[in-house]
Amino acid sequence: MDFPSSVVVGIATLLTIMLLAVVTQRLLGVRFGALRTFLAALLALGLGQSVLRPIVATVVPADGRQPPDAAALGVLLLVLMAMVLIPMALLVLAEALVPPGSVPGPLELARSVRGRLSRARRYSQITRIAVRHGLGPYLRGRGERLNDRSGKLRLAASLRAALDDGGVTFIKLGQVLSTRRDLLPAEFVEELGRLQDQVAPAPWEQIEPVLREELGGPVDEVFAAFDRTPLAAASIGQVHAARLHSGREVVVKVRRPGIEAVVGRDLEIVRRLAATLESRTRWGRSLGLCDLAEGFATAIMEELDFGVEAANMAAVSASRPARGSGDRGGSWGSGSSGGTVPVRYPAPISAMCSERVLVMERLSGRPVTAADPGQGTRLARGLLDCLLRQILIEGVFHADPHPGNLMLLDDGTLGLLDFGSVGRLDGSVRAALQRFLLAMNRQDPLGVTDALLEVVPRPEEIDEPALERAVGQFMARHLGPGLDSAQLFTDLFKIVSAYGLSIPPEVAAVFRALATLEGTLVRLSPGFNLISEARAFAGRYLSEQITPETVRDSLTQELTALVPMLRRLPRRVERIASAAEHGRFTMNVRLLADERDRRYLTGLLHQVLLTVLGATAGLMAVILLTTDGGPVLTGSTTLLHLIGYNLLMIAAILGLRVLALIFRRPRDSDVREGAR
């Protein structure tokens, strides 16, 4: 064959493949990838001759005589449907066995292989660290049962050492777990609380390009002075002292270069470890480790973004009741509480903050643990007053008030730092928490139970009398005079878990913050009673919210909202009564008013109709193929047989279309659910 003929044949073949691909996709009624459809059509064209030869041989005379015109038309239709049927079957089979997206493309595959190799090396390193510290049997779910305190202490110490060796992500994970008294025994909480996120600072040669890129110029031009020796360094970032051209003293928090890649890889390992432990161990399933790992991953990714921290600082600053002058932060005043110390926090320099750099006001002071013993009670009371105001009144609160995030300022006030983790509560949750605290103050088990069921989602089946008795016993243990509140949150979470109550994330953040605060308050003032002070706060502030003025304002707002409805109500009642009196009272019910419902029902009916038509065509084909009689085309093949073969092809095409819709629909719905 010469070159022009080869070109013509090639173009004709390509056009045939494209036409076959288009017809196949239209008949299936589902959009497939262009490459997948083209390959199916190409393979069908290659297989066509070997597949069609036995089909044609059954209806074409063996002696080579031409069949009648009707038979020739039937054979042509049979061949065309068989040619279309082959790529349809291939696409449906591929859809069932290799769904779209399950096989990555070449570039994606190369990146995936590199990522897998990197994760494998890191995973191997983490596994060696765990085994070196004696945690190997526990990873396989074969660790010894810990029934004594000494065994728990040994395991807790091994876990802390392993997390410390694991690096930034695992240190952060240990710090988060150290606040979860609802999940871990006290021995683990105490041991993990010793994790310190202090590492050697990154050299200035690595930090300076980050500052130049984020601030838009050299450091010496942006700042009047900049101390290249960091004040403190942690695994995520480090803090430098600086002074603006206005003379204002600030601190500059810089994220370590490349830390996001390290954290991203480690978070993937944390997810895999959580999934492994949840599937292989009983305690992993009971704790719901996959959900915990996902929540931790979200929190640490937000902590990596200093823009989120700047927004959190601005949100807390905007919600405070007392402001400082200018843009220099503010404080939570003691108000009428008396005997408390105001709490201040730095204000961000918003114009200079970005994802990798955070510039904020500098607070001058010393670690809060260095406070004089005589100041402890006042400092603790001021900190508790500040956090309870944030949670119960303002709705924006610092979610990690551990001692490392506190300073005793030179003017005797407290400084609250590090707003990477901030919780937010809507008005309904704040109101429920207020009722919870007021009921605790009144020692009202019924009120506490009702408020608790408003805070958490109510399960379908719950034994409320038993829950009320459990709450009453809890209050008797912790609310009496002189009783210790050390196990307060542990016992509260035991009640929540025992009765199948699930705590929403925002409420869990409140309890975690209060559990962390409890340890901080005890360090500031040994013997500080969180419950009695919280009850005093309820008496001082929450009761002040219910005054004649506030009640009058609430009633005014409600009546203002109701007035338009009340004005229309008499006319509507009169219309209904008149229609009922004259026999014209009707009700209009619009079924399937939502377009999505109509579309779903239409698709379902379409699928059922295709199934019925396909089954009918298949049944008719079987009947015709088993029928003796009718015009003989050649040999033993009759016209009825030829029609039966065509009906059999039609039934197969309709059946493949239904299967394609079935295989594709679940993934489409999953995509829509994920989008919502």
Side-chain angles (χ1 to χ4, degrees):
M1 184 182 297
D2 56 0
F3 180 74
S5 300
S6 300
V7 172
V8 172
V9 171
I11 294 175
T13 303
L14 181 61
L15 292 176
T16 302
I17 293 173
M18 295 177 61
L19 178 62
L20 187 59
V22 171
V23 172
T24 300
Q25 187 152 272
R26 291 296 300 271
L27 287 176
L28 285 175
V30 175
R31 183 176 295 277
F32 294 93
L35 179 60
R36 179 176 293 219
T37 308
F38 181 82
L39 291 177
L42 179 62
L43 186 59
L45 191 64
L47 296 175
Q49 184 177 0
S50 58
V51 173
L52 295 178
R53 184 180 292 114
I55 298 176
V56 176
T58 60
V59 294
V60 175
D63 54 8
R65 291 185 295 106
Q66 293 295 325
D69 293 339
L73 180 60
V75 171
L76 178 61
L77 290 176
L78 184 64
V79 169
L80 291 178
M81 285 190 289
M83 282 296 299
V84 175
L85 186 64
I86 296 173
M88 289 179 66
L90 292 174
L91 284 175
V92 171
L93 185 63
E95 183 74 14
L97 300 180
V98 190
S102 60
V103 178
L107 296 178
E108 185 181 355
L109 181 61
R111 288 194 296 266
S112 175
V113 169
R114 288 198 301 269
R116 287 178 180 272
L117 291 176
S118 176
R119 286 196 302 271
R121 288 193 296 268
R122 179 62 172 161
Y123 193 86
S124 176
Q125 180 184 4
I126 295 301
T127 303
R128 290 196 301 270
I129 291 174
V131 172
R132 185 168 67 247
H133 290 284
L135 300 178
Y138 296 95
L139 293 178
R140 296 189 294 270
R142 300 175 182 174
E144 61 177 339
R145 293 183 178 273
L146 302 177
N147 297 321
D148 59 331
R149 176 175 169 79
S150 60
K152 293 180 180 180
L153 289 175
R154 287 195 304 271
L155 179 57
S158 299
L159 179 61
R160 180 192 59 78
L163 292 175
D164 203 3
D165 287 349
V168 49
T169 308
F170 295 94
I171 292 175
K172 292 291 183 185
L173 177 60
Q175 291 174 344
V176 170
L177 291 176
S178 69
T179 67
R180 297 303 302 267
R181 299 189 181 191
D182 56 315
L183 300 179
L184 298 179
E187 295 83 1
F188 287 83
V189 171
E190 181 179 355
E191 187 68 34
L192 294 178
R194 299 176 183 175
L195 285 170
Q196 298 296 323
D197 194 16
Q198 298 293 332
V199 297
W204 175 250
E205 291 75 18
Q206 297 179 9
I207 296 298
E208 194 273 339
V210 176
L211 290 170
R212 176 189 292 271
E213 181 178 349
E214 296 296 322
L215 297 175
V219 173
D220 294 334
E221 295 181 4
V222 176
F223 298 97
F226 193 96
D227 188 356
R228 287 167 170 75
T229 302
L231 296 173
S235 51
I236 289 181
Q238 58 192 52
V239 177
H240 294 260
R243 186 174 67 252
L244 300 179
H245 290 289
S246 62
R248 186 175 181 181
E249 298 290 337
V250 296
V251 293
V252 182
K253 188 175 179 180
V254 189
R255 193 174 74 189
R256 286 177 178 268
I259 191 64
E260 59 274 12
V262 176
V263 171
R265 182 186 60 196
D266 284 353
L267 286 178
E268 183 63 26
I269 293 174
V270 169
R271 291 187 180 99
R272 292 173 181 268
L273 282 173
T276 300
L277 292 173
E278 185 169 319
S279 63
R280 295 184 180 180
T281 65
R282 186 180 305 167
W283 61 269
R285 287 189 294 272
S286 64
L287 294 180
L289 287 184
C290 288
D291 292 338
L292 290 176
E294 207 55 48
F296 168 71
T298 301
I300 198 171
M301 291 306 295
E302 287 186 355
E303 192 172 346
L304 284 177
D305 189 349
F306 290 168
V308 173
E309 184 172 351
N312 291 339
M313 296 171 68
V316 175
S317 299
S319 68
R320 62 177 177 257
R323 295 181 183 269
S325 59
D327 190 28
R328 301 185 61 84
S331 64
W332 292 88
S334 58
S336 62
S337 61
T340 64
V341 175
V343 179
R344 295 185 58 206
Y345 29 81
I349 313 299
S350 302
M352 305 180 73
C353 296
S354 66
E355 182 180 348
R356 295 190 293 172
V357 174
L358 175 63
V359 182
M360 55 187 161
E361 174 191 9
R362 183 177 183 181
L363 300 180
S364 179
R366 60 187 189 276
V368 72
T369 53
D372 297 333
Q375 294 180 287
T377 301
R378 295 180 64 249
L379 294 174
R381 188 175 292 123
L383 180 60
L384 177 63
D385 182 273
C386 169
L387 193 66
L388 289 179
R389 274 184 174 273
Q390 291 179 349
I391 293 173
L392 298 172
I393 299 176
E394 303 302 328
V396 182
F397 62 95
H398 194 294
D400 192 20
H402 64 77
N405 288 337
L406 291 168
M407 289 180 62
L408 180 60
L409 304 183
D410 294 337
D411 59 2
T413 61
L414 276 173
L416 190 56
L417 311 174
D418 193 354
F419 288 81
S421 179
V422 165
R424 291 175 172 82
L425 302 174
D426 57 39
S428 61
V429 175
R430 292 202 308 272
L433 289 174
Q434 290 175 7
R435 288 191 290 273
F436 181 85
L437 185 55
L438 286 173
M440 291 272 283
N441 185 37
R442 297 193 306 267
Q443 298 193 30
D444 177 11
L446 180 59
V448 171
T449 304
D450 291 341
L452 180 62
L453 292 177
E454 291 182 31
V455 171
V456 303
R458 180 189 291 267
E460 294 183 1
E461 296 182 1
I462 183 172
D463 189 349
E464 289 196 36
L467 176 61
E468 184 181 342
R469 288 193 298 271
V471 169
Q473 295 172 0
F474 163 79
M475 296 172 65
R477 283 194 301 269
H478 296 287
L479 300 188
L483 294 181
D484 187 12
S485 61
Q487 296 294 318
L488 171 70
F489 292 101
T490 301
D491 291 346
L492 181 59
F493 276 108
K494 285 181 180 178
I495 294 175
V496 169
S497 176
Y499 287 88
L501 304 177
S502 59
I503 301 180
E506 64 274 15
V507 179
V510 172
F511 287 144
R512 286 199 301 270
L514 292 175
T516 304
L517 179 67
E518 181 185 13
T520 303
L521 297 177
V522 171
R523 291 191 63 178
L524 287 175
S525 176
F528 187 85
N529 193 304
L530 174 63
I531 290 298
S532 62
E533 293 294 336
R535 293 173 63 184
F537 174 89
R540 288 196 305 268
Y541 294 109
L542 298 184
S543 298
E544 293 176 1
Q545 305 299 313
I546 305 175
T547 63
E549 290 77 12
T550 57
V551 172
R552 183 184 59 201
D553 292 341
S554 298
L555 289 176
T556 302
Q557 294 174 3
E558 294 294 335
L559 288 175
T560 302
L562 286 174
V563 163
M565 184 180 67
L566 293 175
R567 292 180 59 186
R568 293 191 297 268
L569 185 59
R571 292 195 299 272
R572 291 182 176 178
V573 172
E574 193 275 333
R575 290 174 185 171
I576 293 174
S578 176
E581 180 181 1
H582 295 87
R584 292 183 286 101
F585 182 75
T586 59
M587 295 181 63
N588 293 327
V589 180
R590 295 182 60 192
L591 296 175
L592 304 175
D594 194 328
E595 173 62 27
R596 292 172 299 180
D597 294 337
R598 295 196 298 272
R599 188 164 55 246
Y600 173 78
L601 184 58
T602 302
L604 188 61
L605 292 175
H606 183 206
Q607 189 172 333
V608 171
L609 181 60
L610 288 177
T611 304
V612 172
L613 291 176
T616 303
L619 182 61
M620 292 175 62
V622 172
I623 294 174
L624 291 176
L625 289 173
T626 57
T627 299
D628 295 330
V632 177
L633 300 180
T634 177
S636 60
T637 303
T638 66
L639 180 60
L640 296 180
H641 292 163
L642 182 59
I643 296 174
Y645 284 128
N646 281 275
L647 287 176
L648 193 61
M649 289 293 178
I650 292 174
I653 291 174
L654 293 176
L656 288 174
R657 181 183 176 98
V658 172
L659 289 176
L661 293 173
I662 291 174
F663 289 139
R664 176 59 63 91
R665 181 170 295 173
R667 279 188 296 278
D668 289 345
S669 62
D670 291 343
V671 170
R672 288 193 297 270
E673 290 295 331
R676 286 198 292 267

